[in-house]
Amino acid sequence: MASLPTSVKIVEVGPRDGLQNEKHIVPAAVKIEFINRLSQTGLKTIEATSFVSPKWIPQLADAEEVFRGIEKIHSVSYPVLVPNEKGMQRALDAGAKEISIFTAASETFNHKNINASIAESIERFKPVMTLATKHNVRVRGYISTVIGCPYEGPITPEAVARVAKELAALGCYEISLGDTIGVGTPIKAQRMLAAAATEVPMQKLAVHFHDTYGQALANIHACLELGVAVVDSSTSGLGGCPYAKGATGNVATEDVLFMLTGMGIETGVDMDKLLAAGRFISEELAHQPDSKLGRIPSDSRRDARTLDKHK
Ligand code: HMG
Ligand code: MG
């Protein structure tokens, strides 16, 4: 049996990846309460919001208010997405200590998402990195469409490895590999991760699976077998990218936690508190017409699970 990590860091992306994709704008007070509840669960990283163009993502136009409004726990990191120098300045002004820059392995997707080629995006990140170093801000990097692109189709592992190398050279402390439209299956996920790991040490890699075809947990398990120990997920399975047609929710944090705990892998996250945070946001979204939240109802089957029963 392949050796699995003994502990895994879960990176919660629900407040950002989840709420960026809701049709209706969730009030800032609800976002703040959601993040505050997540902060009590034992999660060590909670992606809070994005300092992107409000014209492109109106759902997160309240980034300043949300970031300033959350009660920050000392032991928790609250990264925010930053697409360019302007976003970096906004993030710094709001007091961010960690940011994420994001590009893609597909040229077409990158144009649709951030209006830049891959090479242009790397150039755009250089002044962002200079500011980050100056202000002692940690930088995570994302690569989208690592297995498939909604415009270009299959993406080669080599293309992912090339971009991973560039983000590492820029100075990202961790690089998250995003299966934006959830088309990965376990062997493809392993090939993609193995290729990235030829350029960047496995300890610096994270996986980020959307669950469009119900493959996310299988993909995560396959990647754990290769030694990855950082997993992105979203409470209640919220999520999606407005610029990737067909992108549905991220893998649910509740499901990832259930699998990891059942496998004896430490995360430090409390399932009951996580379920309560998930119930809170699910109930809030249930009031919104046309909510994207569909997979996981508020009185989720997860409520019946206790870790004691399933260890
Ligand atoms: P652009 O239109 O090319 O930008 O957008 P520009 O530089 O030409 O500026 C146009 C206007 O936008 C100007 O204002 C700028 O000041 C303003 P005007 O002069 O017209 O009044 N502007 C900004 N305002 C606020 N904050 C900013 C900012 N930048 C410019 N940061 C840009 C280029 C990158 C800004 C835009 O394309 C953008 O914001 N894209 C973000 C899209 C996004 O957030 N997508 C979802 C996140 S990625 C994702 O979900 C994938 C992930 O989960 C991993 C996975 O699953 O694969 C991470
Ligand atoms: Mg995503």
Side-chain angles (χ1 to χ4, degrees):
M1 179 145 160
S3 76
L4 293 162
T6 53
S7 69
V8 159
K9 179 176 79 169
I10 296 180
V11 174
E12 169 63 40
V13 298
R16 192 278 307 170
D17 206 337
L19 301 184
Q20 78 181 10
N21 205 38
E22 284 296 313
K23 194 165 177 187
H24 291 269
I25 293 169
V26 176
V30 171
K31 292 171 177 157
I32 291 169
E33 176 70 17
F34 180 37
I35 298 170
N36 287 346
R37 285 171 186 246
L38 290 170
S39 291
Q40 301 301 325
T41 61
L43 284 161
K44 292 281 169 287
T45 309
I46 303 170
E47 202 170 65
T49 185
S50 293
F51 289 90
V52 295
S53 161
K55 285 189 194 125
W56 286 62
I57 307 280
Q59 292 90 337
L60 302 183
D62 54 7
E64 276 84 358
E65 185 182 353
V66 170
F67 194 81
R68 289 206 176 98
I70 55 181
E71 284 164 38
K72 298 180 190 74
I73 306 279
H74 188 65
S75 55
V76 179
S77 184
Y78 300 92
V80 294
L81 254 61
V82 162
N84 54 14
E85 209 176 338
K86 172 149 189 167
M88 183 60 177
Q89 204 50 64
R90 288 176 59 206
L92 287 172
D93 292 346
K97 302 270 182 285
E98 178 170 343
I99 63 154
S100 295
I101 55 176
F102 54 107
T103 185
S106 146
E107 291 288 357
T108 314
F109 174 78
N110 220 36
H111 271 288
K112 302 259 186 202
N113 196 43
I114 56 172
N115 205 14
S117 68
I118 299 168
E120 282 164 353
S121 67
I122 299 291
E123 282 307 306
R124 213 182 250 181
F125 297 145
K126 286 181 181 166
V128 172
M129 298 307 287
T130 305
L131 281 170
T133 308
K134 184 172 165 205
H135 295 276
N136 216 9
V137 165
R138 295 210 308 165
V139 184
R140 190 174 202 243
Y142 273 109
I143 308 175
S144 284
T145 57
V146 294
I147 296 175
C149 166
Y151 311 102
E152 292 182 14
I155 295 293
T156 64
E158 293 70 33
V160 179
R162 274 197 299 277
V163 183
K165 185 180 177 184
E166 297 213 54
L167 287 178
L170 277 177
C172 294
Y173 81 91
E174 189 170 281
I175 294 162
S176 177
L177 303 164
D179 181 13
T180 319
I181 52 169
V183 290
T185 44
I187 305 294
K188 285 182 188 165
Q190 283 188 333
R191 287 193 183 128
M192 179 279 298
L193 176 64
T198 61
E199 299 291 354
V200 178
M202 192 63 86
Q203 310 86 272
K204 293 181 91 175
L205 294 173
V207 290
H208 177 113
F209 287 105
H210 286 257
D211 204 21
T212 319
Y213 299 101
Q215 301 299 298
L217 279 185
N219 292 339
I220 291 168
H221 186 275
C223 291
L224 293 173
E225 285 186 329
L226 294 195
V228 87
V230 184
V231 176
D232 298 359
S233 61
S234 170
T235 294
S236 287
L238 304 169
C241 177
Y243 296 100
K245 203 164 165 247
T248 60
N250 291 76
V251 64
T253 308
E254 295 92 327
D255 287 346
V256 172
L257 179 60
F258 188 75
M259 181 177 83
L260 294 175
T261 308
M263 291 167 71
I265 297 173
E266 276 301 316
T267 62
V269 181
D270 182 303
M271 179 63 103
D272 290 332
K273 291 181 178 163
L274 184 67
L275 289 170
R279 251 191 322 270
F280 167 77
I281 195 65
S282 300
E283 279 163 13
E284 289 294 334
L285 294 179
H287 300 313
Q288 311 244 353
D290 307 323
S291 173
K292 292 274 171 65
L293 189 78
R295 283 190 56 243
I296 299 176
S298 57
D299 59 342
S300 160
R301 59 199 149 88
R302 282 170 194 77
D303 289 6
R305 295 176 190 174
T306 67
L307 291 181
D308 288 343
K309 268 191 216 153
H310 293 280
K311 255 179 191 161

